[in-house]
Amino acid sequence: MVSMAGETVGYKKEKTCLQLKLNGIVQGIGFRPYIFSLAQKFGLKGWVRNESGGVLLEIEGEEEKISSFCRQLICNPPSLAKIDKVEQRTIPLRNFQSFEIASSQAQQERHALIPPDIAVCQKCLGEILDPNDRHYLYPFTNCTHCGPRFTIVEDIPYDRCKTSMRNFPPCPECRQEYDDPGDRRFHAQPVACPCCGPQLEIRDAKGIVVSGGSNWLEFFWEKMNQGNIFAVKGLGGFHLACIVQSSTVQTLRNRKKRPFKPFAVMCRELKTVENYCHLKKEEAELLSSPSSPVVLLEQKKGIFLPENISPGLNTLGVMLPYTPLHYLLLQGPFDIMILTSANPTDLPILKDNDEAQEQLKDIVDFFLVHNREIVQRCDDSVVRIIGGELQIQRRSRGFVPQPVELGFQAETTVLGAGAEMKNTFCLLKDNKAFLSQHLGEMGTLESDEFFRESLGHFLRFFDLHPQIIGYDLHPGYYISSTAKALPVQNKYAVQHHHGHFASCLAENRFGEEAIGIILDGTGYGIDGAIWGFEIITGDFVNFKREYHQRYTPLLGGESSIKWPWRMCLSYLVSSMGEEGLSVARDLFAPMFERELTILEKGIDSLPYSLLTSSCGRLFDAVAALLGICYENTYEGQAAIQLGELLDNKDIALPLDPYPFLLKETEIDFSPMFPVMTGDMKKGASVSLIARRFHDTIVKAIITAVKEVSERTGLNVAALSGGTWHNPYLLRKVVNILSQDKIKILLHRSVPPNDGGLSLGQAAVAYWRWKANVPGNTHEGN
């Protein structure tokens, strides 16, 4: 909401002069040109300029015209702008002779917000396909309404000299467009053309240039069609590209050592997407939006696409071309291609040419590179429509660094350090939360450098100096060690699931006590166990654990996280004793005889093993029991594949759960396993058993939450944690609890997984500091 301070503009014919200061996303989206044209429309004089604090302008003319100018500026700004605050004051007449865009000025105060990168607009696409236009086939064409922003910015105010375009002085034609108020490239900072802008070249695996100039596109199409794999330098980093041919996709998997993790694809246009996937209106709008994320779509059955693109899944990650380069790549003999992040396993996405050449030389055959520096690494965002609502699964390109609005005003700067997996950090400033782009997995020198580099950029952009930091309670997390070493005065360790809970509360601007339903794979508990199926109550400062899944031993330690069959063995033995062990031998001995024999010897020591209440591990166990997944080759693989056995029509069916128990504070799923294995012996279908398992989880959650609500009087529930990516669970739980008059808080602006954890950590740390509560978050302290 825009707030205004100062005098009210009158409606007299008298001449007056007004100074306006605007904060928000007002740089890099054509805001100054818009103000220029608006001043011309109303016949007003003055100037406008970018500052570190936002946009400042002085406007002079008749009061009535100035009033109309201000009303249109505030009510109808450029589509990509977001005005957060307007300060105005009347100043002495300046007797301006014209209206000008003045040179930018740096200031000590920094309130300007850098916009995210913006997908290519239709006018620029028209130019690159027009043989008579000077931008014909130029892959870096952009204008005021589209193009790179966040990924090329080094500092603010947003001007060419403070971006990686500083190395490309504009030619006379580009300068003329830049200076022409009637041109859509008026003051477009990355403006470029083939004469003055960045250039492409193709190198082979040894780094030798094999194509450039005018024939690079034909070379790319020819080599792609021959089954070669390319590394393509894009907006925020490198992608791996190949045609959607089974043998080529398998070659990519073998070289990248990525046997099952799904690849994303890029399609030429929406019609292409519809050839392969079911496409709803909301999904089409997302694909075509300025953020242009990867959208998870349901694949059509019977339409040929190699199964090894997304093995074991019914969904496909799809995006449309969001730069002129990508658009050109798909104008040839194929209208769909694999386009997946080119990061080595567990390392950040690659952004520099030499770095990519060294890291990818054994994976790709050719490198399609350019000479525009990527300042900020930024992976593709991933989203999904569930029940008609947006869910963000990875928040990065197209969304970052746009802030999340808070329901409170932070009196000092706060840093949330994020999680060990799917890391982002979060900075609280005033009533805004600035989450970083997706940083990935922590624990390596490269990821630590990426974290520090990105944090440094954000702190410099906004001139921030954190006084409070929140980090994960896990004593072994690399990111927690990094956070504790930062020079910040007030440090709070935040229990993982309290952080998830607080993230959902903060995003929904809800500051009162609520119920939390937190389901995920791994979170260090205050008792030293691995938590992950938690029904809690609390607020930003404290929480109380009301119910949790009964603890199950991690047989073989944390290696059970990688091997779901080991988790299944633990559940079977814990719930069925010798009979369960017999079932496990029948299922797993043919594949894992040696490991099973060793693990059997440790069964007597199960009570002394590391314990878990993780929802993710329960999904792992059932996935292995049903023969769906025995090894997690990527995070959440077993749970994802198990969830994909259900489809939309199952949502309408009544619950058909297996038995379970609620006793004291525990949810005990032990009674489920004998009945489930009985169904298997009777020949029940895997999909039916999977649905009944999901119904059991739903019924257990509903029963526990209703009991807590009746006992405490709380009627608001916040859902957070990576398990809520499961559409069936989410829709069933939301539908049933809503019918029971319980208000549901969901993530819409940040991911429910660990990518949104940093927001909750920052919120908890701030409110514990604000409440003068010493120490870290533990249950009820």
Side-chain angles (χ1 to χ4, degrees):
M1 181 178 292
V2 176
S3 61
M4 300 188 69
E7 303 173 21
T8 302
V9 179
Y11 291 85
K12 300 178 182 178
K13 294 287 185 180
E14 297 177 7
K15 192 175 182 181
T16 190
C17 191
L18 197 67
Q19 185 182 82
L20 296 172
K21 185 181 294 186
L22 302 101
N23 302 133
I25 300 178
V26 292
Q27 295 188 18
I29 40 79
F31 202 81
R32 289 175 299 169
Y34 176 76
I35 289 175
F36 182 95
S37 64
L38 209 58
Q40 299 294 309
K41 174 182 176 180
F42 290 104
L44 302 173
K45 315 296 184 183
W47 54 263
V48 61
R49 72 176 180 224
N50 277 347
E51 296 188 336
S52 304
V55 166
L56 182 70
L57 67 139
E58 293 184 356
I59 194 84
E60 189 173 81
E62 294 179 6
E63 289 189 20
E64 184 176 354
K65 291 182 178 180
I66 286 182
S67 175
S68 299
F69 169 91
C70 291
R71 185 164 53 250
Q72 187 162 336
L73 175 64
I74 303 305
C75 298
N76 298 292
S79 59
L80 298 172
K82 187 176 186 302
I83 303 172
D84 292 328
K85 184 179 180 182
V86 180
E87 297 179 17
Q88 65 180 54
R89 66 186 183 97
T90 301
I91 58 176
L93 293 175
R94 308 291 201 197
N95 294 315
F96 295 118
Q97 300 303 305
S98 62
F99 193 90
E100 300 177 351
I101 296 181
S103 299
S104 301
Q105 287 190 5
Q107 295 174 298
Q108 186 172 358
E109 274 194 34
R110 294 177 170 228
H111 297 295
L113 304 182
I114 299 165
D117 299 294
I118 307 164
V120 60
C121 70
Q122 290 301 311
K123 290 185 178 180
C124 284
L125 287 180
E127 290 173 340
I128 67 173
L129 295 180
D130 182 358
N132 298 316
D133 194 281
R134 67 191 189 90
H135 299 94
Y136 180 56
L137 299 183
Y138 184 57
F140 303 98
T141 302
N142 66 85
C143 69
T144 306
H145 308 298
C146 69
R149 299 295 189 268
F150 173 68
T151 52
I152 64 170
V153 174
E154 295 172 339
D155 205 350
I156 56 174
Y158 175 71
D159 286 305
R160 193 183 187 98
C161 62
K162 295 189 177 183
T163 74
S164 57
M165 286 298 294
R166 69 188 182 285
N167 299 318
F168 303 95
C171 66
E173 289 85 355
C174 285
R175 171 56 69 179
Q176 183 178 353
E177 290 178 333
Y178 182 89
D179 291 334
D180 181 3
D183 197 286
R184 78 174 196 283
R185 294 192 171 93
F186 184 43
H187 277 255
Q189 302 305 324
V191 63
C193 74
C195 297
C196 62
Q199 300 295 319
L200 283 175
E201 64 184 23
I202 297 179
R203 304 172 183 174
D204 65 15
K206 295 180 181 179
I208 299 171
V209 177
V210 293
S211 181
S214 60
N215 71 333
W216 67 269
L217 198 50
E218 289 77 10
F219 185 93
F220 173 81
W221 292 334
E222 177 187 354
K223 295 302 180 184
M224 282 279 282
N225 265 338
Q226 291 172 358
N228 290 286
I229 297 168
F230 274 75
V232 178
K233 186 178 183 181
L235 204 56
F238 276 82
H239 287 96
L240 299 177
C242 70
I243 57 174
V244 291
Q245 185 180 67
S246 182
S247 59
T248 306
V249 173
Q250 194 56 48
T251 298
L252 176 56
R253 288 199 174 279
N254 295 341
R255 291 183 187 178
K256 203 174 188 298
K257 298 178 174 61
R258 183 170 158 177
F260 295 107
K261 191 173 183 180
F263 290 142
V265 299
M266 180 174 277
C267 293
R268 180 184 294 164
E269 57 189 352
L270 288 175
K271 288 182 180 178
T272 312
V273 179
E274 290 178 316
N275 290 336
Y276 304 105
C277 298
H278 298 285
L279 188 62
K280 299 174 183 175
K281 179 184 176 182
E282 307 98 307
E283 295 164 336
E285 289 173 350
L286 274 171
L287 285 168
S288 307
S289 68
S291 57
S292 192
V294 175
V295 182
L296 295 181
L297 302 174
E298 181 185 355
Q299 294 188 59
K300 288 183 176 178
K301 295 179 181 178
I303 302 297
F304 173 76
L305 271 180
E307 291 183 5
N308 56 356
I309 294 179
S310 53
L313 305 180
N314 299 318
T315 52
L316 185 67
V318 180
M319 55 184 154
L320 292 182
Y322 54 86
T323 71
L325 171 60
H326 294 129
Y327 192 82
L328 290 171
L329 296 182
L330 285 167
Q331 291 304 300
F334 44 86
D335 60 2
I336 182 174
M337 64 180 176
I338 300 293
L339 200 71
T340 191
S341 300
N343 56 307
T345 303
D346 300 335
L347 296 181
I349 187 172
L350 301 171
K351 71 179 183 72
D352 299 322
N353 294 348
D354 293 342
E355 174 188 46
Q357 188 81 45
E358 177 61 30
Q359 295 283 346
L360 302 176
K361 61 186 178 183
D362 296 327
I363 297 177
V364 306
D365 303 297
F366 296 98
F367 293 82
L368 176 55
V369 300
H370 58 74
N371 59 345
R372 185 179 70 199
E373 178 191 359
I374 298 172
V375 178
Q376 302 277 356
R377 303 173 201 262
C378 199
D379 220 326
D380 295 313
S381 295
V382 181
V383 305
R384 188 173 190 177
I385 296 293
I386 300 179
E389 298 289 340
L390 173 68
Q391 184 188 82
I392 298 177
Q393 300 196 3
R394 182 201 290 163
R395 188 178 186 270
S396 206
R397 177 190 53 77
F399 293 92
V400 173
Q402 191 167 334
V404 174
E405 299 288 334
L406 300 173
F408 59 87
Q409 191 91 3
E411 297 173 7
T412 187
T413 304
V414 189
L415 170 63
E420 194 80 345
M421 304 283 288
K422 296 182 172 66
N423 181 268
T424 65
F425 61 78
C426 177
L427 289 158
L428 303 189
K429 178 187 179 184
D430 300 329
N431 67 330
K432 294 179 174 60
F434 297 91
L435 279 84
S436 73
Q437 69 271 45
H438 170 78
L439 303 182
E441 184 173 351
M442 297 291 105
T444 64
L445 292 175
E446 292 85 352
S447 60
D448 181 68
E449 180 182 354
F450 186 21
F451 178 90
R452 294 176 186 273
E453 174 187 274
S454 300
L455 179 59
H457 280 300
F458 272 70
L459 295 178
R460 185 172 67 254
F461 286 158
F462 307 116
D463 193 29
L464 297 178
H465 305 278
Q467 302 300 308
I468 305 168
I469 186 169
Y471 58 91
D472 198 283
L473 187 66
H474 197 301
Y477 275 2
Y478 189 91
I479 186 61
S480 297
S481 298
T482 299
K484 286 186 282 188
L486 293 174
V488 178
Q489 183 177 357
N490 303 285
K491 300 176 181 178
Y492 294 90
V494 179
Q495 198 281 321
H496 189 86
H497 301 95
H498 189 198
H500 270 302
F501 176 55
S503 176
C504 193
L505 295 182
E507 179 187 335
N508 285 277
R509 307 181 199 178
F510 190 84
E512 301 174 24
E513 193 173 359
I515 301 169
I517 313 172
I518 318 301
L519 308 181
D520 67 357
T522 299
Y524 185 76
I526 59 175
D527 56 0
I530 303 300
W531 293 7
F533 196 123
E534 313 301 318
I535 310 296
I536 64 177
T537 54
D539 52 24
F540 289 123
V541 177
N542 289 314
F543 75 96
K544 180 184 178 184
R545 202 179 187 198
E546 303 286 353
Y547 284 98
H548 63 86
Q549 185 191 175
R550 179 189 174 203
Y551 283 137
T552 301
L554 281 169
L555 190 57
E558 291 194 356
S559 64
S560 295
I561 297 173
K562 179 175 175 60
W563 298 99
W565 71 269
R566 296 186 180 186
M567 206 64 236
C568 184
L569 171 63
S570 185
Y571 270 100
L572 288 172
V573 172
S574 298
S575 60
M576 300 171 63
E578 280 296 325
E579 183 184 353
L581 181 57
S582 176
V583 172
R585 285 176 181 148
D586 291 341
L587 291 172
F588 307 130
M591 295 169 288
F592 307 105
E593 183 176 6
R594 179 174 173 274
E595 296 95 326
L596 183 58
T597 301
I598 294 171
L599 289 173
E600 282 186 40
K601 295 177 181 178
I603 286 176
D604 290 339
S605 62
L606 276 181
Y608 309 102
S609 300
L610 181 63
L611 301 175
T612 183
S613 64
S614 163
C615 186
R617 302 293 76 78
L618 177 59
F619 268 79
D620 285 353
V622 175
L625 182 68
L626 297 179
I628 295 165
C629 181
Y630 301 115
E631 178 187 2
N632 279 321
T633 64
Y634 61 89
E635 186 188 8
Q637 178 181 345
I640 294 169
Q641 291 182 349
L642 180 60
E644 293 251 338
L645 291 176
L646 285 70
D647 57 36
N648 290 329
K649 70 177 185 297
D650 292 324
I651 300 290
L653 298 175
L655 290 180
D656 184 19
Y658 288 113
F660 65 92
L661 296 173
L662 252 66
K663 46 187 180 183
E664 297 180 352
T665 61
E666 289 187 340
I667 303 172
D668 185 1
F669 293 106
S670 295
M672 173 177 68
F673 283 90
V675 184
M676 188 181 292
T677 54
D679 278 354
M680 293 172 63
K681 291 177 182 177
K682 294 174 185 176
S685 69
V686 170
S687 59
L688 174 61
I689 297 172
R691 179 168 64 82
R692 292 196 66 193
F693 163 69
H694 279 76
D695 285 349
T696 310
I697 303 293
V698 172
K699 184 66 175 178
I701 291 169
I702 299 300
T703 306
V705 169
K706 287 175 67 175
E707 191 282 326
V708 172
S709 178
E710 290 170 3
R711 174 163 45 84
T712 63
L714 299 174
N715 64 349
V716 177
L719 279 56
S720 191
T723 303
W724 292 114
H725 288 318
N726 184 304
Y728 185 88
L729 276 187
L730 181 63
R731 293 182 64 185
K732 277 287 194 182
V733 169
V734 169
N735 290 345
I736 296 173
L737 285 181
S738 298
Q739 291 171 10
D740 291 330
K741 309 301 182 186
I742 292 179
K743 180 182 178 181
I744 303 297
L745 305 181
L746 299 175
H747 288 282
R748 297 295 183 219
S749 300
V750 303
N753 61 39
D754 282 1
L757 187 68
S758 57
L759 170 59
Q761 291 172 337
V764 169
Y766 172 72
W767 283 105
R768 290 183 72 79
W769 171 82
K770 178 78 172 169
N772 199 28
V773 177
N776 306 323
T777 68
H778 290 77
E779 185 179 358
N781 76 338

